[in-house]
mmCIF file with all atom_site columns, all heavy atoms in Angstrom:
data_model
loop_
_atom_site.group_PDB
_atom_site.id
_atom_site.type_symbol
_atom_site.label_atom_id
_atom_site.label_alt_id
_atom_site.label_comp_id
_atom_site.label_asym_id
_atom_site.label_entity_id
_atom_site.label_seq_id
_atom_site.pdbx_PDB_ins_code
_atom_site.Cartn_x
_atom_site.Cartn_y
_atom_site.Cartn_z
_atom_site.occupancy
_atom_site.B_iso_or_equiv
_atom_site.pdbx_formal_charge
_atom_site.auth_seq_id
_atom_site.auth_comp_id
_atom_site.auth_asym_id
_atom_site.auth_atom_id
_atom_site.pdbx_PDB_model_num
ATOM 1   N N   . HIS A 1 182 ? 9.395  2.843  -23.093 1.00 0.00 ? 182 HIS A N   1
ATOM 2   C CA  . HIS A 1 182 ? 9.753  2.499  -24.479 1.00 0.00 ? 182 HIS A CA  1
ATOM 3   C C   . HIS A 1 182 ? 9.005  3.409  -25.466 1.00 0.00 ? 182 HIS A C   1
ATOM 4   O O   . HIS A 1 182 ? 8.097  4.095  -25.083 1.00 0.00 ? 182 HIS A O   1
ATOM 5   C CB  . HIS A 1 182 ? 9.461  1.019  -24.723 1.00 0.00 ? 182 HIS A CB  1
ATOM 6   C CG  . HIS A 1 182 ? 10.273 0.123  -23.831 1.00 0.00 ? 182 HIS A CG  1
ATOM 7   N ND1 . HIS A 1 182 ? 9.843  -0.283 -22.588 1.00 0.00 ? 182 HIS A ND1 1
ATOM 8   C CD2 . HIS A 1 182 ? 11.488 -0.431 -24.028 1.00 0.00 ? 182 HIS A CD2 1
ATOM 9   C CE1 . HIS A 1 182 ? 10.746 -1.032 -22.037 1.00 0.00 ? 182 HIS A CE1 1
ATOM 10  N NE2 . HIS A 1 182 ? 11.782 -1.152 -22.882 1.00 0.00 ? 182 HIS A NE2 1
ATOM 11  N N   . ALA A 1 183 ? 9.392  3.323  -26.682 1.00 0.00 ? 183 ALA A N   1
ATOM 12  C CA  . ALA A 1 183 ? 8.779  4.153  -27.738 1.00 0.00 ? 183 ALA A CA  1
ATOM 13  C C   . ALA A 1 183 ? 7.284  3.860  -27.910 1.00 0.00 ? 183 ALA A C   1
ATOM 14  O O   . ALA A 1 183 ? 6.519  4.726  -28.219 1.00 0.00 ? 183 ALA A O   1
ATOM 15  C CB  . ALA A 1 183 ? 9.545  3.934  -29.093 1.00 0.00 ? 183 ALA A CB  1
ATOM 16  N N   . GLY A 1 184 ? 6.906  2.566  -27.681 1.00 0.00 ? 184 GLY A N   1
ATOM 17  C CA  . GLY A 1 184 ? 5.521  2.216  -27.905 1.00 0.00 ? 184 GLY A CA  1
ATOM 18  C C   . GLY A 1 184 ? 5.043  2.388  -29.316 1.00 0.00 ? 184 GLY A C   1
ATOM 19  O O   . GLY A 1 184 ? 5.855  2.598  -30.227 1.00 0.00 ? 184 GLY A O   1
ATOM 20  N N   . ALA A 1 185 ? 3.744  2.317  -29.525 1.00 0.00 ? 185 ALA A N   1
ATOM 21  C CA  . ALA A 1 185 ? 3.244  2.516  -30.872 1.00 0.00 ? 185 ALA A CA  1
ATOM 22  C C   . ALA A 1 185 ? 3.237  3.955  -31.318 1.00 0.00 ? 185 ALA A C   1
ATOM 23  O O   . ALA A 1 185 ? 3.225  4.234  -32.475 1.00 0.00 ? 185 ALA A O   1
ATOM 24  C CB  . ALA A 1 185 ? 1.796  1.946  -30.945 1.00 0.00 ? 185 ALA A CB  1
ATOM 25  N N   . GLY A 1 186 ? 3.229  4.884  -30.337 1.00 0.00 ? 186 GLY A N   1
ATOM 26  C CA  . GLY A 1 186 ? 3.071  6.265  -30.663 1.00 0.00 ? 186 GLY A CA  1
ATOM 27  C C   . GLY A 1 186 ? 4.276  6.949  -31.339 1.00 0.00 ? 186 GLY A C   1
ATOM 28  O O   . GLY A 1 186 ? 4.123  7.658  -32.323 1.00 0.00 ? 186 GLY A O   1
ATOM 29  N N   . LEU A 1 187 ? 5.464  6.686  -30.822 1.00 0.00 ? 187 LEU A N   1
ATOM 30  C CA  . LEU A 1 187 ? 6.649  7.373  -31.336 1.00 0.00 ? 187 LEU A CA  1
ATOM 31  C C   . LEU A 1 187 ? 6.953  7.010  -32.801 1.00 0.00 ? 187 LEU A C   1
ATOM 32  O O   . LEU A 1 187 ? 7.186  7.871  -33.630 1.00 0.00 ? 187 LEU A O   1
ATOM 33  C CB  . LEU A 1 187 ? 7.848  7.222  -30.453 1.00 0.00 ? 187 LEU A CB  1
ATOM 34  C CG  . LEU A 1 187 ? 9.115  7.991  -30.828 1.00 0.00 ? 187 LEU A CG  1
ATOM 35  C CD1 . LEU A 1 187 ? 8.802  9.507  -30.913 1.00 0.00 ? 187 LEU A CD1 1
ATOM 36  C CD2 . LEU A 1 187 ? 10.228 7.761  -29.786 1.00 0.00 ? 187 LEU A CD2 1
ATOM 37  N N   . PRO A 1 188 ? 7.031  5.675  -33.143 1.00 0.00 ? 188 PRO A N   1
ATOM 38  C CA  . PRO A 1 188 ? 7.234  5.400  -34.601 1.00 0.00 ? 188 PRO A CA  1
ATOM 39  C C   . PRO A 1 188 ? 6.184  5.948  -35.464 1.00 0.00 ? 188 PRO A C   1
ATOM 40  O O   . PRO A 1 188 ? 6.487  6.449  -36.598 1.00 0.00 ? 188 PRO A O   1
ATOM 41  C CB  . PRO A 1 188 ? 7.172  3.825  -34.552 1.00 0.00 ? 188 PRO A CB  1
ATOM 42  C CG  . PRO A 1 188 ? 7.577  3.448  -33.171 1.00 0.00 ? 188 PRO A CG  1
ATOM 43  C CD  . PRO A 1 188 ? 6.995  4.489  -32.328 1.00 0.00 ? 188 PRO A CD  1
ATOM 44  N N   . ALA A 1 189 ? 4.914  5.964  -35.039 1.00 0.00 ? 189 ALA A N   1
ATOM 45  C CA  . ALA A 1 189 ? 3.833  6.564  -35.862 1.00 0.00 ? 189 ALA A CA  1
ATOM 46  C C   . ALA A 1 189 ? 4.034  8.062  -36.033 1.00 0.00 ? 189 ALA A C   1
ATOM 47  O O   . ALA A 1 189 ? 3.848  8.601  -37.111 1.00 0.00 ? 189 ALA A O   1
ATOM 48  C CB  . ALA A 1 189 ? 2.487  6.292  -35.192 1.00 0.00 ? 189 ALA A CB  1
ATOM 49  N N   . TYR A 1 190 ? 4.502  8.743  -34.986 1.00 0.00 ? 190 TYR A N   1
ATOM 50  C CA  . TYR A 1 190 ? 4.755  10.189 -35.100 1.00 0.00 ? 190 TYR A CA  1
ATOM 51  C C   . TYR A 1 190 ? 5.897  10.487 -36.017 1.00 0.00 ? 190 TYR A C   1
ATOM 52  O O   . TYR A 1 190 ? 5.804  11.390 -36.861 1.00 0.00 ? 190 TYR A O   1
ATOM 53  C CB  . TYR A 1 190 ? 5.070  10.726 -33.726 1.00 0.00 ? 190 TYR A CB  1
ATOM 54  C CG  . TYR A 1 190 ? 5.636  12.124 -33.735 1.00 0.00 ? 190 TYR A CG  1
ATOM 55  C CD1 . TYR A 1 190 ? 4.794  13.226 -33.949 1.00 0.00 ? 190 TYR A CD1 1
ATOM 56  C CD2 . TYR A 1 190 ? 6.966  12.330 -33.577 1.00 0.00 ? 190 TYR A CD2 1
ATOM 57  C CE1 . TYR A 1 190 ? 5.332  14.522 -34.019 1.00 0.00 ? 190 TYR A CE1 1
ATOM 58  C CE2 . TYR A 1 190 ? 7.523  13.576 -33.624 1.00 0.00 ? 190 TYR A CE2 1
ATOM 59  C CZ  . TYR A 1 190 ? 6.691  14.679 -33.822 1.00 0.00 ? 190 TYR A CZ  1
ATOM 60  O OH  . TYR A 1 190 ? 7.230  15.951 -33.901 1.00 0.00 ? 190 TYR A OH  1
ATOM 61  N N   . LEU A 1 191 ? 6.973  9.688  -35.933 1.00 0.00 ? 191 LEU A N   1
ATOM 62  C CA  . LEU A 1 191 ? 8.113  9.877  -36.784 1.00 0.00 ? 191 LEU A CA  1
ATOM 63  C C   . LEU A 1 191 ? 7.780  9.636  -38.206 1.00 0.00 ? 191 LEU A C   1
ATOM 64  O O   . LEU A 1 191 ? 8.243  10.365 -39.145 1.00 0.00 ? 191 LEU A O   1
ATOM 65  C CB  . LEU A 1 191 ? 9.325  8.992  -36.333 1.00 0.00 ? 191 LEU A CB  1
ATOM 66  C CG  . LEU A 1 191 ? 9.831  9.310  -34.976 1.00 0.00 ? 191 LEU A CG  1
ATOM 67  C CD1 . LEU A 1 191 ? 10.961 8.317  -34.586 1.00 0.00 ? 191 LEU A CD1 1
ATOM 68  C CD2 . LEU A 1 191 ? 10.431 10.686 -34.896 1.00 0.00 ? 191 LEU A CD2 1
ATOM 69  N N   . GLN A 1 192 ? 6.970  8.625  -38.482 1.00 0.00 ? 192 GLN A N   1
ATOM 70  C CA  . GLN A 1 192 ? 6.521  8.317  -39.832 1.00 0.00 ? 192 GLN A CA  1
ATOM 71  C C   . GLN A 1 192 ? 5.708  9.474  -40.392 1.00 0.00 ? 192 GLN A C   1
ATOM 72  O O   . GLN A 1 192 ? 5.953  9.871  -41.604 1.00 0.00 ? 192 GLN A O   1
ATOM 73  C CB  . GLN A 1 192 ? 5.723  7.031  -39.838 1.00 0.00 ? 192 GLN A CB  1
ATOM 74  C CG  . GLN A 1 192 ? 5.271  6.565  -41.253 1.00 0.00 ? 192 GLN A CG  1
ATOM 75  C CD  . GLN A 1 192 ? 6.444  6.152  -42.083 1.00 0.00 ? 192 GLN A CD  1
ATOM 76  O OE1 . GLN A 1 192 ? 7.283  5.379  -41.656 1.00 0.00 ? 192 GLN A OE1 1
ATOM 77  N NE2 . GLN A 1 192 ? 6.539  6.593  -43.342 1.00 0.00 ? 192 GLN A NE2 1
ATOM 78  N N   . SER A 1 193 ? 4.917  10.062 -39.587 1.00 0.00 ? 193 SER A N   1
ATOM 79  C CA  . SER A 1 193 ? 4.105  11.192 -40.047 1.00 0.00 ? 193 SER A CA  1
ATOM 80  C C   . SER A 1 193 ? 4.944  12.470 -40.285 1.00 0.00 ? 193 SER A C   1
ATOM 81  O O   . SER A 1 193 ? 4.753  13.165 -41.220 1.00 0.00 ? 193 SER A O   1
ATOM 82  C CB  . SER A 1 193 ? 2.993  11.476 -39.069 1.00 0.00 ? 193 SER A CB  1
ATOM 83  O OG  . SER A 1 193 ? 2.238  12.661 -39.384 1.00 0.00 ? 193 SER A OG  1
ATOM 84  N N   . ALA A 1 194 ? 5.892  12.706 -39.331 1.00 0.00 ? 194 ALA A N   1
ATOM 85  C CA  . ALA A 1 194 ? 6.662  13.973 -39.387 1.00 0.00 ? 194 ALA A CA  1
ATOM 86  C C   . ALA A 1 194 ? 7.836  13.893 -40.358 1.00 0.00 ? 194 ALA A C   1
ATOM 87  O O   . ALA A 1 194 ? 8.186  14.906 -40.992 1.00 0.00 ? 194 ALA A O   1
ATOM 88  C CB  . ALA A 1 194 ? 7.115  14.322 -37.990 1.00 0.00 ? 194 ALA A CB  1
ATOM 89  N N   . TYR A 1 195 ? 8.460  12.729 -40.473 1.00 0.00 ? 195 TYR A N   1
ATOM 90  C CA  . TYR A 1 195 ? 9.708  12.627 -41.294 1.00 0.00 ? 195 TYR A CA  1
ATOM 91  C C   . TYR A 1 195 ? 9.565  11.725 -42.501 1.00 0.00 ? 195 TYR A C   1
ATOM 92  O O   . TYR A 1 195 ? 10.474 11.570 -43.277 1.00 0.00 ? 195 TYR A O   1
ATOM 93  C CB  . TYR A 1 195 ? 10.847 12.090 -40.384 1.00 0.00 ? 195 TYR A CB  1
ATOM 94  C CG  . TYR A 1 195 ? 11.275 13.036 -39.320 1.00 0.00 ? 195 TYR A CG  1
ATOM 95  C CD1 . TYR A 1 195 ? 10.702 13.009 -38.045 1.00 0.00 ? 195 TYR A CD1 1
ATOM 96  C CD2 . TYR A 1 195 ? 12.275 13.979 -39.540 1.00 0.00 ? 195 TYR A CD2 1
ATOM 97  C CE1 . TYR A 1 195 ? 11.082 13.852 -37.071 1.00 0.00 ? 195 TYR A CE1 1
ATOM 98  C CE2 . TYR A 1 195 ? 12.705 14.847 -38.491 1.00 0.00 ? 195 TYR A CE2 1
ATOM 99  C CZ  . TYR A 1 195 ? 12.081 14.787 -37.252 1.00 0.00 ? 195 TYR A CZ  1
ATOM 100 O OH  . TYR A 1 195 ? 12.465 15.596 -36.263 1.00 0.00 ? 195 TYR A OH  1
ATOM 101 N N   . GLY A 1 196 ? 8.396  11.037 -42.627 1.00 0.00 ? 196 GLY A N   1
ATOM 102 C CA  . GLY A 1 196 ? 8.227  10.090 -43.713 1.00 0.00 ? 196 GLY A CA  1
ATOM 103 C C   . GLY A 1 196 ? 8.978  8.799  -43.463 1.00 0.00 ? 196 GLY A C   1
ATOM 104 O O   . GLY A 1 196 ? 9.101  7.992  -44.364 1.00 0.00 ? 196 GLY A O   1
ATOM 105 N N   . SER A 1 197 ? 9.531  8.657  -42.240 1.00 0.00 ? 197 SER A N   1
ATOM 106 C CA  . SER A 1 197 ? 10.236 7.408  -41.870 1.00 0.00 ? 197 SER A CA  1
ATOM 107 C C   . SER A 1 197 ? 10.259 7.309  -40.383 1.00 0.00 ? 197 SER A C   1
ATOM 108 O O   . SER A 1 197 ? 10.153 8.257  -39.658 1.00 0.00 ? 197 SER A O   1
ATOM 109 C CB  . SER A 1 197 ? 11.699 7.516  -42.402 1.00 0.00 ? 197 SER A CB  1
ATOM 110 O OG  . SER A 1 197 ? 12.536 6.498  -41.839 1.00 0.00 ? 197 SER A OG  1
ATOM 111 N N   . THR A 1 198 ? 10.375 6.062  -39.886 1.00 0.00 ? 198 THR A N   1
ATOM 112 C CA  . THR A 1 198 ? 10.465 5.858  -38.440 1.00 0.00 ? 198 THR A CA  1
ATOM 113 C C   . THR A 1 198 ? 11.873 6.140  -37.915 1.00 0.00 ? 198 THR A C   1
ATOM 114 O O   . THR A 1 198 ? 12.128 6.085  -36.696 1.00 0.00 ? 198 THR A O   1
ATOM 115 C CB  . THR A 1 198 ? 10.053 4.425  -38.047 1.00 0.00 ? 198 THR A CB  1
ATOM 116 O OG1 . THR A 1 198 ? 10.997 3.549  -38.662 1.00 0.00 ? 198 THR A OG1 1
ATOM 117 C CG2 . THR A 1 198 ? 8.667  4.117  -38.508 1.00 0.00 ? 198 THR A CG2 1
ATOM 118 N N   . LEU A 1 199 ? 12.829 6.426  -38.800 1.00 0.00 ? 199 LEU A N   1
ATOM 119 C CA  . LEU A 1 199 ? 14.223 6.707  -38.424 1.00 0.00 ? 199 LEU A CA  1
ATOM 120 C C   . LEU A 1 199 ? 14.828 5.520  -37.678 1.00 0.00 ? 199 LEU A C   1
ATOM 121 O O   . LEU A 1 199 ? 15.731 5.685  -36.832 1.00 0.00 ? 199 LEU A O   1
ATOM 122 C CB  . LEU A 1 199 ? 14.346 7.961  -37.584 1.00 0.00 ? 199 LEU A CB  1
ATOM 123 C CG  . LEU A 1 199 ? 13.724 9.258  -38.201 1.00 0.00 ? 199 LEU A CG  1
ATOM 124 C CD1 . LEU A 1 199 ? 13.968 10.445 -37.301 1.00 0.00 ? 199 LEU A CD1 1
ATOM 125 C CD2 . LEU A 1 199 ? 14.420 9.494  -39.600 1.00 0.00 ? 199 LEU A CD2 1
#
Side-chain angles (χ1 to χ4, degrees):
H182 299 89
L187 186 54
Y190 167 79
L191 295 176
Q192 183 66 47
S193 174
Y195 293 90
S197 168
T198 64
L199 304 182

